[in-house]
Amino acid sequence: MRPSRILLVGFMGSGKSRVGADLASRLDWRFADADDVVEREVGITIAEIFSTLGEPRFRALEDGATRTLLMEDRVVIASGGGWSAVPGRLRDLSADTATVWLRVSAEEALRRAENQPRSRPLLRVSDALSAARELLQVRAPLYAEAHHEVDTEGFSVEDVSTRVLELLGLYESTTGTE
Ligand code: S3P
């Protein structure tokens, strides 16, 4: 079945936003980042939401934003790293939603996060590497429920999005050879 939307899942720093934007532009679909939607809705950053409203409130806002995005067609969605890490979330999606796990190690995720403006409250702890490793270990089996998985380390954003398009049978539709 040709997907109506693509949901990218995976750990912080796995490249969901950058790959998602590239995929959307190649498909001529809309790109949406669930974290951005939440920040726009509440008017403060994710880090501020965590510190002032608390993580449970953030999770509720994130779930609402993600579910609203999942009602759209022709959209590539970068989910927040925690959304798909709840048991059953990926299994309950409609059949025309293609899910792809972008894989990254805890070490590389931290390296990338350091170079990005958005701060990740869950990684702002004294031993961020141990925290990231533990979180990733717990989440990996849930991310693995995605239809497809793609390694990101050592690959460019374009390489990763090409691989996603190939896996979903959409590559030809972006090259004008169909
Ligand atoms: C989180 C990931 C972040 C953001 C929040 C919590 C998580 O999104 O939603 O900091 O629990 O993994 P990214 O995966 O886009 O960094």
Side-chain angles (χ1 to χ4, degrees), residues 16 72 82 98 142 167 169:
K16 299 175 300 270
E72 282 185 38
L142 296 158
L167 285 167

Side-chain angles (χ1 to χ4, degrees), residues 76-165:
V76 182
I77 305 163
S79 59
W83 188 81
S84 56
V86 173
R89 283 259 161 95
L90 295 185
R91 258 175 288 140
D92 290 345
L93 295 175
S94 63
D96 61 344
T97 301
T99 53
V100 184
W101 174 20
L102 301 187
R103 298 184 58 130
V104 69
S105 66
E107 290 76 6
E108 177 64 13
L110 280 187
R111 267 194 294 276
R112 292 182 191 171
E114 277 163 18
N115 296 320
Q116 291 168 358
R118 173 173 277 145
S119 112
R120 269 74 170 213
L122 297 180
L123 300 179
R124 271 199 315 202
V125 292
S126 57
D127 187 354
L129 184 55
S130 300
R133 282 188 179 139
E134 276 167 33
L135 207 51
L136 189 52
Q137 196 182 10
V138 172
R139 290 177 172 186
L142 296 158
Y143 293 152
E145 290 186 3
H147 299 119
H148 303 281
E149 53 185 75
V150 177
D151 282 325
T152 65
E153 277 180 67
F155 297 101
S156 67
V157 167
E158 204 196 4
D159 288 341
V160 174
S161 77
T162 297
R163 186 74 195 119
V164 172
L165 292 169

Side-chain angles (χ1 to χ4, degrees), residues 11-12 16 35 46 50 58-59 62 79-82 120-122 139:
F11 204 60
M12 294 167 266
K16 299 175 300 270
D35 284 342
I46 304 275
F50 266 74
F58 168 72
R59 295 297 172 199
E62 173 186 48
S79 59
R120 269 74 170 213
L122 297 180
R139 290 177 172 186

